[in-house]
Amino acid sequence: MESNLRTIIKAVTWQLLGLLTTSLLAWFHTGSVLDALTFALSTSATGFAFFFLHERVWARVRWGAAEERRA
């Protein structure tokens, strides 16, 4: 099982990648750096929250996970 800290680090690095790509795409479509960054930051914040929740829910689902062997 993953720790909360590991899940947060994974979510942050994933969102940084998403922030960069969304910013570039929004800048291309709007021509405005400020609008692009505003849009990218809002999508990044919601994506971060939902990614974290998604990971925590799946951490509790036993289906398809290998069982931990104890000696």
Side-chain angles (χ1 to χ4, degrees):
M1 185 180 292
E2 287 192 1
S3 69
N4 285 340
L5 180 58
R6 179 179 165 86
T7 303
I8 290 170
I9 298 299
K10 285 173 57 180
V12 167
T13 57
W14 178 252
Q15 287 306 309
L16 288 174
L17 181 60
L19 184 63
L20 175 65
T21 57
T22 304
S23 294
L24 291 173
L25 286 170
W27 183 24
F28 175 76
H29 286 285
T30 65
S32 167
V33 173
L34 182 59
D35 288 344
L37 289 175
T38 301
F39 178 76
L41 287 171
S42 65
T43 60
S44 181
T46 56
F48 176 84
F50 282 105
F51 179 84
F52 181 82
L53 292 172
H54 181 263
E55 286 287 314
R56 293 289 82 206
V57 168
W58 272 101
R60 295 176 182 267
V61 174
R62 301 280 183 239
W63 173 81
E67 288 190 28
E68 190 175 306
R69 292 186 178 167
R70 297 183 184 185

